[in-house]
mmCIF file of all heavy atoms in Angstrom:
data_model
loop_
_atom_site.group_PDB
_atom_site.id
_atom_site.type_symbol
_atom_site.label_atom_id
_atom_site.label_comp_id
_atom_site.label_asym_id
_atom_site.label_seq_id
_atom_site.Cartn_x
_atom_site.Cartn_y
_atom_site.Cartn_z
ATOM 1 N N GLU V 85 -30.473 -4.026 66.299
ATOM 2 C CA GLU V 85 -30.254 -5.434 66.144
ATOM 3 C C GLU V 85 -28.787 -5.900 65.904
ATOM 4 O O GLU V 85 -28.302 -6.850 66.572
ATOM 5 C CB GLU V 85 -31.047 -6.018 65.011
ATOM 6 C CG GLU V 85 -32.590 -5.982 65.276
ATOM 7 C CD GLU V 85 -33.281 -6.938 64.316
ATOM 8 O OE1 GLU V 85 -33.229 -8.120 64.581
ATOM 9 O OE2 GLU V 85 -33.861 -6.481 63.322
ATOM 10 N N PRO V 87 -24.973 -6.298 66.190
ATOM 11 C CA PRO V 87 -23.971 -5.942 67.195
ATOM 12 C C PRO V 87 -22.691 -5.433 66.667
ATOM 13 O O PRO V 87 -21.757 -5.193 67.345
ATOM 14 C CB PRO V 87 -23.754 -7.355 67.887
ATOM 15 C CG PRO V 87 -24.821 -8.261 67.440
ATOM 16 C CD PRO V 87 -25.266 -7.710 66.082
ATOM 17 N N GLY V 181 -18.774 -11.765 65.714
ATOM 18 C CA GLY V 181 -19.868 -12.175 64.835
ATOM 19 C C GLY V 181 -19.477 -12.449 63.420
ATOM 20 O O GLY V 181 -18.359 -12.251 63.034
ATOM 21 N N ARG V 182 -20.518 -12.925 62.656
ATOM 22 C CA ARG V 182 -20.278 -13.309 61.287
ATOM 23 C C ARG V 182 -21.257 -12.500 60.542
ATOM 24 O O ARG V 182 -22.499 -12.540 60.815
ATOM 25 C CB ARG V 182 -20.491 -14.804 61.200
ATOM 26 C CG ARG V 182 -20.062 -15.441 59.987
ATOM 27 C CD ARG V 182 -20.024 -16.952 60.105
ATOM 28 N NE ARG V 182 -19.800 -17.549 58.783
ATOM 29 C CZ ARG V 182 -20.862 -17.925 57.997
ATOM 30 N NH1 ARG V 182 -22.011 -17.930 58.452
ATOM 31 N NH2 ARG V 182 -20.554 -18.366 56.748
ATOM 32 N N PHE V 201 -25.638 -20.346 57.311
ATOM 33 C CA PHE V 201 -25.270 -20.408 58.700
ATOM 34 C C PHE V 201 -24.149 -21.393 59.015
ATOM 35 O O PHE V 201 -24.099 -22.499 58.490
ATOM 36 C CB PHE V 201 -26.505 -20.768 59.556
ATOM 37 C CG PHE V 201 -27.637 -19.769 59.384
ATOM 38 C CD1 PHE V 201 -28.761 -20.125 58.580
ATOM 39 C CD2 PHE V 201 -27.574 -18.516 59.968
ATOM 40 C CE1 PHE V 201 -29.767 -19.240 58.424
ATOM 41 C CE2 PHE V 201 -28.565 -17.626 59.777
ATOM 42 C CZ PHE V 201 -29.685 -17.966 59.046
ATOM 43 N N TRP V 203 -22.280 -20.818 62.393
ATOM 44 C CA TRP V 203 -22.035 -20.746 63.861
ATOM 45 C C TRP V 203 -23.271 -21.198 64.618
ATOM 46 O O TRP V 203 -23.143 -21.408 65.898
ATOM 47 C CB TRP V 203 -21.674 -19.382 64.257
ATOM 48 C CG TRP V 203 -20.340 -18.880 63.739
ATOM 49 C CD1 TRP V 203 -19.530 -19.497 62.816
ATOM 50 C CD2 TRP V 203 -19.724 -17.672 64.190
ATOM 51 N NE1 TRP V 203 -18.394 -18.718 62.689
ATOM 52 C CE2 TRP V 203 -18.479 -17.575 63.517
ATOM 53 C CE3 TRP V 203 -20.002 -16.722 65.156
ATOM 54 C CZ2 TRP V 203 -17.542 -16.535 63.687
ATOM 55 C CZ3 TRP V 203 -19.114 -15.679 65.352
ATOM 56 C CH2 TRP V 203 -17.951 -15.585 64.627
ATOM 57 N N THR V 204 -24.407 -21.214 64.027
ATOM 58 C CA THR V 204 -25.597 -21.474 64.797
ATOM 59 C C THR V 204 -26.351 -22.670 64.219
ATOM 60 O O THR V 204 -26.535 -22.870 63.031
ATOM 61 C CB THR V 204 -26.569 -20.254 64.746
ATOM 62 O OG1 THR V 204 -26.784 -19.949 63.318
ATOM 63 C CG2 THR V 204 -25.975 -19.086 65.432
ATOM 64 N N ALA V 205 -26.905 -23.563 65.135
ATOM 65 C CA ALA V 205 -27.703 -24.641 64.680
ATOM 66 C C ALA V 205 -29.073 -24.085 64.280
ATOM 67 O O ALA V 205 -29.518 -23.095 64.820
ATOM 68 C CB ALA V 205 -27.820 -25.625 65.908
ATOM 69 N N PRO V 207 -32.635 -23.713 64.809
ATOM 70 C CA PRO V 207 -33.404 -23.837 66.083
ATOM 71 C C PRO V 207 -34.194 -25.129 66.146
ATOM 72 O O PRO V 207 -34.197 -25.808 67.175
ATOM 73 C CB PRO V 207 -34.248 -22.655 66.103
ATOM 74 C CG PRO V 207 -33.514 -21.579 65.393
ATOM 75 C CD PRO V 207 -32.779 -22.331 64.289
ATOM 76 N N ASN V 244 -19.947 -18.321 72.164
ATOM 77 C CA ASN V 244 -20.295 -18.443 70.741
ATOM 78 C C ASN V 244 -20.724 -19.966 70.537
ATOM 79 O O ASN V 244 -21.733 -20.265 69.814
ATOM 80 C CB ASN V 244 -19.177 -18.085 69.849
ATOM 81 C CG ASN V 244 -19.194 -16.661 69.387
ATOM 82 O OD1 ASN V 244 -20.235 -16.006 69.340
ATOM 83 N ND2 ASN V 244 -18.027 -16.052 69.137
ATOM 84 N N ALA V 247 -24.115 -20.908 72.931
ATOM 85 C CA ALA V 247 -25.340 -20.234 72.390
ATOM 86 C C ALA V 247 -25.658 -20.705 70.957
ATOM 87 O O ALA V 247 -26.784 -20.953 70.614
ATOM 88 C CB ALA V 247 -25.257 -18.777 72.519
ATOM 89 N N GLY V 248 -24.584 -20.768 70.221
ATOM 90 C CA GLY V 248 -24.647 -21.176 68.802
ATOM 91 C C GLY V 248 -25.307 -22.553 68.615
ATOM 92 O O GLY V 248 -26.155 -22.853 67.795
ATOM 93 N N HIS V 250 -27.466 -23.848 70.494
ATOM 94 C CA HIS V 250 -28.941 -23.802 70.777
ATOM 95 C C HIS V 250 -29.601 -22.823 69.793
ATOM 96 O O HIS V 250 -30.748 -22.447 70.028
ATOM 97 C CB HIS V 250 -29.182 -23.390 72.202
ATOM 98 C CG HIS V 250 -28.952 -24.465 73.196
ATOM 99 N ND1 HIS V 250 -29.838 -25.352 73.577
ATOM 100 C CD2 HIS V 250 -27.732 -24.944 73.703
ATOM 101 C CE1 HIS V 250 -29.329 -26.285 74.370
ATOM 102 N NE2 HIS V 250 -27.988 -26.043 74.484
ATOM 103 N N GLY V 251 -28.871 -22.502 68.677
ATOM 104 C CA GLY V 251 -29.615 -21.757 67.615
ATOM 105 C C GLY V 251 -29.697 -20.263 67.960
ATOM 106 O O GLY V 251 -30.404 -19.565 67.290
ATOM 107 N N VAL V 252 -29.018 -19.785 68.999
ATOM 108 C CA VAL V 252 -29.174 -18.424 69.441
ATOM 109 C C VAL V 252 -28.175 -17.507 68.631
ATOM 110 O O VAL V 252 -27.036 -17.918 68.470
ATOM 111 C CB VAL V 252 -28.880 -18.250 70.968
ATOM 112 C CG1 VAL V 252 -28.780 -16.813 71.338
ATOM 113 C CG2 VAL V 252 -30.016 -18.914 71.724
ATOM 114 N N GLY V 253 -28.650 -16.340 68.219
ATOM 115 C CA GLY V 253 -27.730 -15.431 67.639
ATOM 116 C C GLY V 253 -27.900 -15.166 66.103
ATOM 117 O O GLY V 253 -27.172 -14.479 65.491
ATOM 118 N N ARG V 254 -28.981 -15.701 65.555
ATOM 119 C CA ARG V 254 -29.225 -15.370 64.152
ATOM 120 C C ARG V 254 -29.991 -14.087 64.013
ATOM 121 O O ARG V 254 -31.031 -13.871 64.777
ATOM 122 C CB ARG V 254 -30.161 -16.548 63.540
ATOM 123 C CG ARG V 254 -29.405 -17.827 63.491
ATOM 124 C CD ARG V 254 -30.260 -18.833 62.746
ATOM 125 N NE ARG V 254 -29.454 -20.075 62.537
ATOM 126 C CZ ARG V 254 -29.823 -21.114 61.769
ATOM 127 N NH1 ARG V 254 -30.995 -21.052 61.130
ATOM 128 N NH2 ARG V 254 -29.043 -22.174 61.562
ATOM 129 N N ILE V 255 -29.573 -13.260 63.091
ATOM 130 C CA ILE V 255 -30.223 -11.992 62.876
ATOM 131 C C ILE V 255 -30.404 -11.814 61.305
ATOM 132 O O ILE V 255 -29.535 -12.098 60.574
ATOM 133 C CB ILE V 255 -29.329 -10.778 63.424
ATOM 134 C CG1 ILE V 255 -29.165 -10.910 64.869
ATOM 135 C CG2 ILE V 255 -29.957 -9.472 63.044
ATOM 136 C CD1 ILE V 255 -27.928 -10.184 65.399
ATOM 137 N N ASP V 256 -31.601 -11.462 60.965
ATOM 138 C CA ASP V 256 -31.980 -11.384 59.555
ATOM 139 C C ASP V 256 -32.619 -9.991 59.385
ATOM 140 O O ASP V 256 -33.747 -9.810 59.976
ATOM 141 C CB ASP V 256 -32.943 -12.481 59.172
ATOM 142 C CG ASP V 256 -33.437 -12.351 57.720
ATOM 143 O OD1 ASP V 256 -33.125 -11.332 57.027
ATOM 144 O OD2 ASP V 256 -34.143 -13.288 57.263
ATOM 145 N N VAL V 270 -27.558 -10.780 56.875
ATOM 146 C CA VAL V 270 -27.797 -11.832 57.815
ATOM 147 C C VAL V 270 -26.531 -11.867 58.735
ATOM 148 O O VAL V 270 -25.406 -11.740 58.211
ATOM 149 C CB VAL V 270 -28.016 -13.204 57.167
ATOM 150 C CG1 VAL V 270 -28.007 -14.356 58.205
ATOM 151 C CG2 VAL V 270 -29.372 -13.162 56.460
ATOM 152 N N TYR V 271 -26.734 -12.037 60.026
ATOM 153 C CA TYR V 271 -25.666 -12.100 60.975
ATOM 154 C C TYR V 271 -25.758 -13.363 61.829
ATOM 155 O O TYR V 271 -26.910 -13.775 62.150
ATOM 156 C CB TYR V 271 -25.620 -10.844 61.839
ATOM 157 C CG TYR V 271 -25.485 -9.583 61.090
ATOM 158 C CD1 TYR V 271 -26.621 -8.740 60.893
ATOM 159 C CD2 TYR V 271 -24.232 -9.202 60.549
ATOM 160 C CE1 TYR V 271 -26.466 -7.560 60.211
ATOM 161 C CE2 TYR V 271 -24.176 -7.978 59.858
ATOM 162 C CZ TYR V 271 -25.231 -7.156 59.662
ATOM 163 O OH TYR V 271 -25.128 -6.070 58.962
ATOM 164 N N GLU V 272 -24.633 -13.835 62.249
ATOM 165 C CA GLU V 272 -24.645 -14.860 63.345
ATOM 166 C C GLU V 272 -23.757 -14.282 64.458
ATOM 167 O O GLU V 272 -22.581 -13.985 64.196
ATOM 168 C CB GLU V 272 -24.039 -16.167 62.842
ATOM 169 C CG GLU V 272 -24.796 -16.869 61.805
ATOM 170 C CD GLU V 272 -24.217 -18.255 61.535
ATOM 171 O OE1 GLU V 272 -23.250 -18.323 60.731
ATOM 172 O OE2 GLU V 272 -24.700 -19.223 62.110
ATOM 173 N N ALA V 273 -24.287 -14.129 65.585
ATOM 174 C CA ALA V 273 -23.508 -13.508 66.702
ATOM 175 C C ALA V 273 -24.021 -14.053 68.062
ATOM 176 O O ALA V 273 -24.663 -13.382 68.823
ATOM 177 C CB ALA V 273 -23.674 -12.011 66.654
ATOM 178 N N PRO V 274 -23.776 -15.377 68.242
ATOM 179 C CA PRO V 274 -24.351 -16.037 69.496
ATOM 180 C C PRO V 274 -23.875 -15.386 70.769
ATOM 181 O O PRO V 274 -24.655 -15.079 71.646
ATOM 182 C CB PRO V 274 -23.795 -17.459 69.356
ATOM 183 C CG PRO V 274 -23.385 -17.646 67.919
ATOM 184 C CD PRO V 274 -23.012 -16.321 67.382
ATOM 185 N N ALA V 275 -22.566 -15.140 70.895
ATOM 186 C CA ALA V 275 -22.040 -14.516 72.141
ATOM 187 C C ALA V 275 -22.556 -13.089 72.267
ATOM 188 O O ALA V 275 -23.018 -12.663 73.303
ATOM 189 C CB ALA V 275 -20.532 -14.631 72.111
ATOM 190 N N ALA V 276 -22.482 -12.346 71.183
ATOM 191 C CA ALA V 276 -22.838 -10.968 71.224
ATOM 192 C C ALA V 276 -24.347 -10.775 71.652
ATOM 193 O O ALA V 276 -24.639 -9.971 72.485
ATOM 194 C CB ALA V 276 -22.583 -10.244 69.919
ATOM 195 N N VAL V 277 -25.207 -11.543 70.984
ATOM 196 C CA VAL V 277 -26.621 -11.428 71.310
ATOM 197 C C VAL V 277 -26.885 -11.821 72.820
ATOM 198 O O VAL V 277 -27.590 -11.155 73.472
ATOM 199 C CB VAL V 277 -27.444 -12.369 70.344
ATOM 200 C CG1 VAL V 277 -28.840 -12.553 70.868
ATOM 201 C CG2 VAL V 277 -27.458 -11.760 68.940
ATOM 202 N N THR V 278 -26.267 -12.902 73.224
ATOM 203 C CA THR V 278 -26.432 -13.389 74.642
ATOM 204 C C THR V 278 -25.893 -12.320 75.612
ATOM 205 O O THR V 278 -26.532 -12.012 76.620
ATOM 206 C CB THR V 278 -25.734 -14.708 74.818
ATOM 207 O OG1 THR V 278 -26.188 -15.635 73.821
ATOM 208 C CG2 THR V 278 -26.049 -15.297 76.215
ATOM 209 N N LEU V 342 -30.943 -20.832 77.303
ATOM 210 C CA LEU V 342 -30.787 -20.914 75.812
ATOM 211 C C LEU V 342 -31.597 -22.113 75.297
ATOM 212 O O LEU V 342 -31.396 -23.251 75.734
ATOM 213 C CB LEU V 342 -29.291 -21.104 75.472
ATOM 214 C CG LEU V 342 -28.328 -20.089 76.099
ATOM 215 C CD1 LEU V 342 -26.870 -20.545 75.888
ATOM 216 C CD2 LEU V 342 -28.557 -18.762 75.502
ATOM 217 N N GLY V 345 -33.160 -21.365 69.688
ATOM 218 C CA GLY V 345 -32.915 -20.063 69.084
ATOM 219 C C GLY V 345 -33.277 -18.887 69.960
ATOM 220 O O GLY V 345 -33.165 -17.784 69.499
ATOM 221 N N ILE V 346 -33.717 -19.119 71.198
ATOM 222 C CA ILE V 346 -34.091 -17.963 72.067
ATOM 223 C C ILE V 346 -33.229 -17.984 73.243
ATOM 224 O O ILE V 346 -32.854 -18.959 73.845
ATOM 225 C CB ILE V 346 -35.577 -18.145 72.465
ATOM 226 C CG1 ILE V 346 -36.477 -17.930 71.223
ATOM 227 C CG2 ILE V 346 -35.951 -17.175 73.516
ATOM 228 C CD1 ILE V 346 -37.920 -18.223 71.460
ATOM 229 N N CYS V 347 -32.762 -16.750 73.569
ATOM 230 C CA CYS V 347 -32.014 -16.479 74.750
ATOM 231 C C CYS V 347 -32.833 -15.627 75.707
ATOM 232 O O CYS V 347 -33.227 -14.563 75.403
ATOM 233 C CB CYS V 347 -30.733 -15.704 74.406
ATOM 234 S SG CYS V 347 -29.939 -14.982 75.770
#
Side-chain angles (χ1 to χ4, degrees):
E85 293 199 78
R182 193 165 169 267
F201 301 105
W203 291 12
T204 54
N244 269 331
H250 285 266
V252 169
R254 294 187 171 188
I255 298 160
D256 176 353
V270 171
Y271 301 104
E272 292 187 279
V277 165
T278 306
L342 308 170
I346 291 171
C347 165

